[in-house]
Amino acid sequence: MRATIDKILERLLILIISVMLIAVIWQVISRYLLGVPSTLTDEIASFSLIWLGLFSAAYATGKELHLAIDLIPARTIRKSPILFSGIVTISTIIFAFFVMVIGGLRLCWITYILDQRSAALEVPLAYIYLVIPISGLLIMYYCIDIFLKKRKTAKL
């Protein structure tokens, strides 16, 4: 299952960055060569950047490439790596669940109820904001999967 999710996420990221690249190139062409700037490409590029950033955060978590701030000395971590890995995992899961999943779903619900739409594309913003809870769920999945693998290898 993990390999399937990784492959889908990789292809989705390639698609998003391609859409963003095409939108930015068309914006430059329409503004500077044609003299008539496109009103849609700005929103497409902005929304693509949001989706790219959030899905990339989930992908980086799955590949264990995410940023870490080392406040605890490495010597202390070496004594009990599973404990510290568990603390980091639990902290990340709590953040992803409460901020990204719960907060993201509330944001989607509110924008859906208020029928907020993007200015140029007229797309409901709830659809754009769905990336927040989806990426939060992916981050939680990856954290749990990585922690269970580390715990399994530590016991062997």
Side-chain angles (χ1 to χ4, degrees), residues 136-150:
L137 288 171
L138 286 169
I139 288 170
M140 291 172 57
Y141 167 77
Y142 280 131
C143 284
I144 292 167
D145 187 59
I146 290 167
F147 181 72
L148 291 177
K149 284 181 182 173
K150 283 183 180 179

Side-chain angles (χ1 to χ4, degrees), residues 113-126:
I113 293 297
L114 296 175
D115 195 32
Q116 293 181 342
R117 297 180 174 272
S118 67
L121 295 172
E122 288 293 317
V123 176
L125 288 177

